[in-house]
Amino acid sequence: MSQITKDTVIADILNVAPDAAPLFFEMGMHCLGCAMANGETVGEACQVHGVDEDEFLEKINAFVK
């Protein structure tokens, strides 16, 4: 995975970087195994959980590299 964007599906991120789960927990997204997480994008998760999308993308991209 070269670059995570707002359109990247969370399940895809966790498939290649399972250690990134705590970053989602920090935003309040505790149900990473539920049906919504399988199709939810980073942008959708940020919007639902009131997280600044740009800040989160910077953080998770730095983590995954």
Side-chain angles (χ1 to χ4, degrees), residues 23-60:
L23 299 177
F24 291 97
F25 295 150
E26 287 175 15
M27 81 154 63
M29 186 175 187
H30 300 282
C31 184
L32 296 178
C34 71
M36 281 300 294
N38 286 325
E40 191 171 31
T41 65
V42 171
E44 292 167 337
C46 286
Q47 183 179 27
V48 168
H49 294 281
V51 173
D52 182 277
E53 184 179 289
D54 292 329
E55 287 179 17
F56 185 76
L57 285 170
E58 184 177 322
K59 186 175 188 177
I60 196 157

